[in-house]
Amino acid sequence: MTSFARGLVFAVAAASLGAACAPAAPPAPPLDLVVTNARIIDGTGAPSRTGAVGIANGHITDVADAAGAAALAARATRVIDAKGRALSPGFIDMHSHSDMPLVTDGNAPSKIRQGVTTEVIGESGSIAPQPSPTENQPWTDFAGYFGLLEKQGISVNLISYVGLGTARELVIGNDNRPPTADELKKMQDVVTASLQQGAAGVSTGLIYPPNAFATVEELIELSKPAAALGGRYASHLRHDGKKLREGIGEAIAIGEGAKIPVHVFHIKVTGQANFGRMKEVIEMVEAAHARGVKLTADQYPYVASSTSLTATLPQWVMDGGPDKMVARLKDKATRARVRRDMQDPNAEWDNRYQSAGTWANVQLASIGRTRGVATTTEDANRQYEGMRVEDAAKKAKKDPFDFVFDLLVDTRGSVGCVYFIMSEDDVKLAMKQPWVAVGSDGSALSIEGPLRSGVPHPRNFGTFPRVLGKYVRDEKVIPLEEAIRKMTSLPAATLNLPDRGTIAAGKWADLVLFDPATVEDKATFENPFQYPVGIDTVIVNGKVVLDEGTHTGTRS
């Protein structure tokens, strides 16, 4: 044997011995949960694929194809067999009013059962700050509010804006006047403090006094502190009817003036005379995009909106607050003037009565339910909940306008309504836009207990399954993968949440397991207190909150 051959033999032997002595590779770490046999829709808009997802310590650790599913399952404490159902990221509700409902019941029943794992609250009138704590709201700022929810626990993730209507009321009150320089500075300080405590930006509701009294210049100045801290400006537009171009133009102007991203709540076109004008809104937004304005929007998939009955009143009636409104409506001459203004087709303000066209298109949803303690008058008026104003007025043997004015006096304006004011074609056209996400504009309610009251808009229970069932599966307005993107990665990117919104290793494990063939909203305008079907399991931060249709009570 040559020296080279002997060296080769020794080298092979040494290598074999080394391999035999080398420590075995450590076993893969255990997993808390694995979902197998899933049709994975990852939230990016990409085509779905079959596979499995592993979860540990609240995060997604592995995304495997079908061949790797068995190995993942072998490491899991619990395995959920999807049986071919769709698995998507958790849905992000871009426009919610669960501010107080989450204090009442942190389980968020109507949202969890829609697949919602993150809610965005704080439109115009945010939950904080407030001048002093109350029995029902024992906090003064966002630190106190968020701290209370963390102590009680909630089943959904939560984000809030600070409402510029709240800031204005805190500093100026309900008066219709411009702020002084000192007052403007105080409002800016409110914004800065709120963002430092975790608020995600500023928001407006420009049909609601006192926010409605703010000028574009004021709103730009109040948005600048949010821009400096990486927040955004979100708005319920001042106009979405006859003057809709001015409404969207104002939002764009604020974005450009404050150099801040803009988000439009529930983008829509209202009033039969304006049906078909959604294309004008889209053209304006796309032109703004071309100029570098960052603008997104959300929508709910219904032809009816919902807001206060006071939205039918001229804004001067609300100047000074509820007490002055009541005094004006009690005065016979002033009441006649209010009626004339409401019926004026050339009114300069967005008039929900004009949008509806008739009292037959206005449904009474809740009467006197936001004041804490019901009065005998409010109890008597609640017989009209669920009725159209026209029918309720006939039952009361009153002229519809007088019925409305009397009701607002009795409740100090605490009347919620549903307004049938939009067209299906405009809803569908908005839904097709890649920059329009999904937002319910609803609250986390329940079919029983304290969170069941009145006859609210069905969007509280049906928004997300309605998109997936009616508009994706049945009417094929948009593909399923695109609908999921609008509910997940689009809002996550809008909200600067890089660790949510898609199914990928390292992301927080917010997931929804649903059946595309059966998912459907059940809530109706006549009977809204019905949970959807077809959304079976919901996981929030790696914990199972909805388990094959049963809420586990987990607040993760």
Side-chain angles (χ1 to χ4, degrees):
M1 180 180 294
T2 67
S3 59
F4 174 77
R6 285 195 298 272
L8 183 61
V9 169
F10 288 138
V12 172
S16 299
L17 181 60
C21 296
L31 299 172
D32 299 325
L33 179 65
V34 169
V35 182
T36 64
N37 299 319
R39 176 187 173 187
I40 298 173
I41 305 175
D42 66 9
T44 66
S48 62
R49 62 190 189 277
T50 301
V53 173
I55 299 167
N57 299 318
H59 290 77
I60 297 170
T61 59
D62 302 86
V63 181
D65 58 18
L72 275 189
R75 297 160 50 196
T77 300
R78 179 182 176 187
V79 176
I80 296 175
D81 186 350
K83 299 179 180 178
R85 289 171 291 179
L87 183 70
S88 78
F91 304 152
I92 300 174
D93 190 340
M94 288 295 286
H95 185 194
S96 172
H97 290 281
S98 294
D99 315 51
M100 280 304 294
L102 288 174
V103 176
T104 302
D105 183 359
N107 285 341
S110 72
K111 293 300 184 73
I112 284 292
R113 291 178 180 276
Q114 291 185 64
V116 172
T117 58
T118 299
E119 293 208 78
V120 184
I121 61 173
E123 178 210 341
S124 180
S126 54
I127 199 69
Q130 58 177 353
S132 59
T134 66
E135 182 179 355
N136 293 329
Q137 299 184 12
W139 60 81
T140 58
D141 56 13
F142 279 105
Y145 174 68
F146 291 147
L148 176 67
L149 291 183
E150 287 175 348
K151 181 180 179 181
Q152 293 182 183
I154 52 177
S155 293
V156 290
N157 303 308
L158 189 66
I159 294 171
S160 183
Y161 295 107
V162 55
L164 295 185
T166 295
R168 198 176 214 276
E169 185 172 7
L170 197 66
V171 175
I172 298 177
N174 290 295
D175 296 341
N176 183 2
R177 64 171 178 82
T180 65
D182 181 61
E183 288 169 337
L184 185 63
K185 176 63 167 58
K186 287 180 179 178
M187 287 192 284
Q188 289 176 323
D189 290 343
V190 168
V191 170
T192 298
S194 296
L195 265 76
Q196 289 172 340
Q197 293 176 19
V202 294
S203 70
T204 57
L206 295 176
I207 69 169
Y208 304 117
N211 211 185
F213 304 146
T215 64
V216 173
E217 292 73 23
E218 176 183 326
L219 298 173
I220 288 174
E221 292 306 310
L222 293 180
S223 297
K224 286 179 178 178
L229 292 172
R232 67 202 55 80
Y233 171 80
S235 183
H236 175 146
L237 301 180
R238 200 183 300 269
H239 304 288
D240 51 33
K242 181 177 64 175
K243 299 172 70 174
L244 63 89
R245 295 184 67 88
E246 293 179 34
I248 194 70
E250 181 179 38
I252 293 169
I254 292 167
E256 291 181 311
K259 296 180 173 56
I260 191 170
V262 175
H263 183 79
V264 176
F265 291 132
H266 51 52
I267 196 164
K268 60 185 181 288
V269 172
T270 62
Q272 187 169 352
N274 301 303
F275 287 0
R277 296 184 64 194
M278 179 59 72
K279 60 181 179 293
E280 295 179 38
V281 174
I282 294 167
E283 289 168 359
M284 291 186 69
V285 171
E286 291 178 344
H289 286 166
R291 297 197 304 272
V293 177
K294 296 180 179 179
L295 189 150
T296 54
D298 61 66
Q299 72 167 161
Y300 46 78
Y302 298 89
V303 295
S305 68
S306 183
T307 192
S308 172
L309 185 57
T310 58
T312 63
L313 299 178
Q315 290 175 347
W316 62 263
V317 180
M318 303 296 292
D319 187 3
D323 290 338
K324 291 187 177 180
M325 176 204 73
V326 168
R328 292 178 181 118
L329 293 180
K330 283 183 175 180
D331 180 76
K332 185 176 181 180
T334 307
R335 183 181 282 209
R337 178 190 167 193
V338 174
R339 179 170 182 158
R340 286 195 302 272
D341 283 3
M342 291 171 66
Q343 293 178 301
D344 180 4
N346 298 312
E348 290 300 306
W349 47 286
D350 254 27
N351 179 343
R352 280 293 174 255
Y353 170 69
Q354 291 282 339
S355 298
T358 167
W359 288 118
N361 286 336
V362 182
Q363 180 173 310
L364 296 164
S366 62
I367 297 176
R369 293 186 181 272
T370 60
R371 292 174 56 193
V373 179
T375 67
T376 303
T377 301
E378 289 168 342
D379 287 341
N381 283 322
R382 285 186 186 145
Q383 64 179 302
Y384 304 119
E385 288 179 336
M387 297 179 67
R388 303 295 176 102
V389 168
E390 184 175 86
D391 296 331
K394 288 179 182 177
K395 184 175 182 179
K397 296 182 171 57
K398 293 182 180 181
D399 169 85
F401 284 90
D402 285 329
F403 173 82
V404 165
F405 298 150
D406 289 343
L407 192 59
L408 290 172
V409 167
D410 287 347
T411 62
R412 296 181 72 251
S414 180
V415 180
C417 292
V418 172
Y419 297 87
F420 294 85
I421 55 177
M422 291 172 276
S423 79
E424 275 285 350
D425 288 343
D426 283 332
V427 169
K428 292 176 181 177
L429 182 58
M431 191 176 293
K432 292 178 181 179
Q433 306 312 306
W435 42 270
V436 177
V438 180
S440 71
D441 196 10
S443 302
L445 302 182
S446 176
I447 63 172
E448 58 189 1
L451 293 181
R452 175 172 181 149
S453 67
V455 187
H457 196 298
R459 65 192 183 191
N460 296 281
F461 290 83
T463 293
F464 290 83
R466 183 173 177 84
V467 171
L468 297 173
K470 174 180 170 65
Y471 290 99
V472 171
R473 182 189 61 237
D474 299 342
E475 300 187 12
K476 297 178 174 53
V477 176
I478 54 175
L480 177 59
E481 288 82 359
E482 173 64 2
I484 295 300
R485 186 189 70 84
K486 287 171 167 287
M487 299 174 180
T488 58
S489 68
L490 173 59
T494 300
L495 295 165
N496 298 325
L497 301 176
D499 52 358
R500 299 185 195 271
T502 57
I503 295 179
K507 305 280 186 174
W508 282 98
D510 294 343
L511 299 166
V512 179
L513 185 63
F514 68 96
D515 186 347
T518 63
V519 63
E520 184 180 15
D521 62 309
K522 292 295 185 181
T524 65
F525 290 102
E526 296 74 28
N527 182 16
F529 290 100
Q530 301 183 76
Y531 292 132
V533 296
I535 294 177
D536 305 311
T537 295
V538 177
I539 299 165
V540 182
N541 296 322
K543 304 291 185 182
V544 179
V545 177
L546 188 70
D547 195 345
E548 294 296 341
T550 299
H551 199 303
T552 64
T554 298
R555 298 183 174 187
S556 52

